[in-house]
């Protein structure tokens, strides 16, 4: 593999890891507060649809982003009401959200656009454009450093840079602020938090809504940056891969970044290298494309018992009288 191919592989890895990272951080907030959220997939999907639909209708990608985030927050609120207010089973609520999003996007899309469950192709104004960082063109010819800065670091959409900035912001918020301490405490011992006069319900709803915002950005990125429109089931299991990355990362932001980059690298490898020979044997292209999903199964099978989730995760809180 030459240097140019390596840069291309890493650049593709960053682009493919971005929606996983946003969804993984979304699940991090929710699960740290004690609310398990299998519905990440559904929130990503509904956001991708409404982002592309509004961006196409208005010609404004920022309005599309707002629509995607708003739709994801509505689904997050549904999950919160079901699991926090009515103390329902969090796993069932998340699965219901996934089914609702999968069916709703196809039905509404076909009703609005009559294109078999997809939206029309987005024009330039309806998509997030890649940003060229300062001095990228001037440094392009510099050996090694030039291609790294021009082709790898520069040339991404604003949502990619935002996703990577959210990682240190999440770390600081969770581990260096009073809000983060309370949020983590709600996921570990909600009764103690309630005794201290802090509303467990309010903290958990806050975490669930933050999860909705981040899933909304992830969905908008899929349909208005990584692609040029919505197609049915375009989330393609990314919500579940993000959950696997979250378990692999042991619910920590920096580990989540590394885990998502690993999944992105495998995804990029399957897309760019479809004719690989190992020990004289040609690896089937289907195997290369299935690598991220295979790793998901391996992680869930091998790390679920070793990674310790928040102690109050998945359990509805009942205030003592």
């Amino acid at each position: 593999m030459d240097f140019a191919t390596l840069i291309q592989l890493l650049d593709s890895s960053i682009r493919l890891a971005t929606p996983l990272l946003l969804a993984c951080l979304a699940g991090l907030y929710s699960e740290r507060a004690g609310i398990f959220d299998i519905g990440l997939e559904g929130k990503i999907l509904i956001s991708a649809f409404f982002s592309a639909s509004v961006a196409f209708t208005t010609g404004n990608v920022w309005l599309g982003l707002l629509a995607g985030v708003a739709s994801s927050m509505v689904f997050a609120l549904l999950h919160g009401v079901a699991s926090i207010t009515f103390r329902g089973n969090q796993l069932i609520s998340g699965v219901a959200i996934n089914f609702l999003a999968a069916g709703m996007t196809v039905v509404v899309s076909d009703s609005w656009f009559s294109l078999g469950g997809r939206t029309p192709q987005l024009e330039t104004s309806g998509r997030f454009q890649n940003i060229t960082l300062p001095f990228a063109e001037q440094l392009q010819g510099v050996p090694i450093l030039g291609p790294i800065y021009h082709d790898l670091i520069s040339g991404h959409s604003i949502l990619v840079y935002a996703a990577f900035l959210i990682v240190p912001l999440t770390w600081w918020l969770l581990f260096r602020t009073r809000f983060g301490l309370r949020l983590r405490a709600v996921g570990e011992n909600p009764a103690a938090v309630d005794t201290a006069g802090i509303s467990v319900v309010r903290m958990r709803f806050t975490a669930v809504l933050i999860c909705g915002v981040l899933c909304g950005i992830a969905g908008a990125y899929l349909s208005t940056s990584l692609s040029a429109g919505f197609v049915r089931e375009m989330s393609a299991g990314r919500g579940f891969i993000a959950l696997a990355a979250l378990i692999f990362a042991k619910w920590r932001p920096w580990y989540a970044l590394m885990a998502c980059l690993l999944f992105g690298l495998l995804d990029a490898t399957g897309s760019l290298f479809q004719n690989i020979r190992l020990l004289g044997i040609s690896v089937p292209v289907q195997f290369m494309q299935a690598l991220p999903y295979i790793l998901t199964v391996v992680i869930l099978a091998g790390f679920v018992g070793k990674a310790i989730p928040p102690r109050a995760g998945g359990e509805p809180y009942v205030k003592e009288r």
Side-chain angles (χ1 to χ4, degrees):
M1 181 187 300
D2 58 14
F3 185 69
T5 304
L6 177 61
I7 293 295
Q8 182 184 5
L9 176 64
L10 295 177
D11 178 71
S12 181
S13 300
I14 290 175
R15 297 176 190 273
L16 293 172
T18 297
L20 297 178
L21 178 59
L22 288 165
C24 188
L25 294 175
L28 176 63
Y29 279 100
S30 181
E31 297 197 8
R32 276 287 186 174
I35 303 297
F36 288 162
D37 195 352
I38 289 187
L40 297 177
E41 178 83 2
K43 289 193 282 289
I44 294 172
L45 191 62
I46 199 70
S47 171
F49 168 69
F50 278 103
S51 294
S53 299
V54 173
F56 171 77
T57 303
T58 63
N60 189 317
V61 68
W62 291 103
L63 291 179
L65 174 63
L66 290 176
V69 170
S71 63
S72 178
M73 290 182 70
V74 169
F75 272 53
L77 192 60
L78 287 175
H79 180 58
V81 169
S83 59
I84 301 173
T85 304
F86 295 107
R87 306 187 187 97
N89 187 293
Q90 298 173 11
L91 300 181
I92 294 176
S93 174
V95 170
I97 285 176
N98 290 337
F99 281 127
L100 178 61
M104 182 178 175
T105 51
V106 174
V107 172
V108 176
S109 177
D110 194 50
S111 175
W112 285 359
F113 304 108
S114 300
L115 292 175
R118 62 182 178 87
T119 62
Q121 191 85 356
L122 295 179
E123 302 296 333
T124 302
S125 60
R127 297 188 63 194
F128 284 102
Q129 302 302 311
N130 294 334
I131 299 174
T132 301
L133 297 180
F135 308 110
E137 298 294 339
Q138 293 85 339
L139 296 175
Q140 184 177 6
V142 177
I144 300 179
L145 293 180
I148 291 176
Y149 184 65
H150 180 273
D151 298 328
L152 182 60
I153 300 176
S154 179
H156 299 285
S157 76
I158 190 172
L159 297 184
V160 174
Y161 298 113
F164 281 83
L165 287 175
I166 290 173
V167 176
L169 176 62
T170 297
W171 174 83
W172 175 80
L173 196 61
L174 288 179
F175 298 101
R176 290 296 184 270
T177 67
R178 182 179 300 177
F179 169 80
L181 177 61
R182 292 175 174 177
L183 187 73
R184 288 183 288 122
V186 166
E188 295 291 339
N189 193 340
V193 174
D194 193 17
T195 303
I198 301 169
S199 174
V200 174
V201 171
R202 184 173 67 248
M203 292 300 300
R204 286 188 166 181
F205 264 109
T206 301
V208 165
L209 290 176
I210 293 175
C211 174
V213 171
L214 294 178
C215 283
I217 299 174
Y221 173 79
L222 279 181
S223 60
T224 61
S225 183
L226 192 62
S227 302
F230 174 85
V231 295
R232 60 190 302 170
E233 302 294 342
M234 77 176 306
S235 52
R238 286 181 172 88
F240 300 109
I241 295 176
L243 284 175
L246 184 58
I247 295 171
F248 189 39
K250 298 183 179 180
W251 294 270
R252 292 184 175 274
W254 291 110
Y255 292 166
L257 172 62
M258 292 184 284
C260 291
L261 287 175
L262 174 61
F263 278 104
L265 178 63
L266 291 176
D267 199 357
T269 302
S271 300
L272 295 177
F273 302 101
Q274 299 187 355
N275 295 310
I276 295 181
R277 296 184 65 84
L278 294 176
L279 303 176
I281 301 175
S282 180
V283 180
V285 61
Q286 292 83 0
F287 176 81
M288 297 302 299
Q289 293 174 344
L291 275 178
Y293 306 98
I294 295 173
L295 182 60
T296 301
V297 175
V298 171
I299 288 176
L300 291 177
F303 285 86
V304 168
K306 299 177 182 179
I308 302 175
R311 286 186 297 175
E315 299 177 2
Y317 176 67
V318 180
K319 186 179 180 67
E320 294 184 3
R321 298 295 181 182

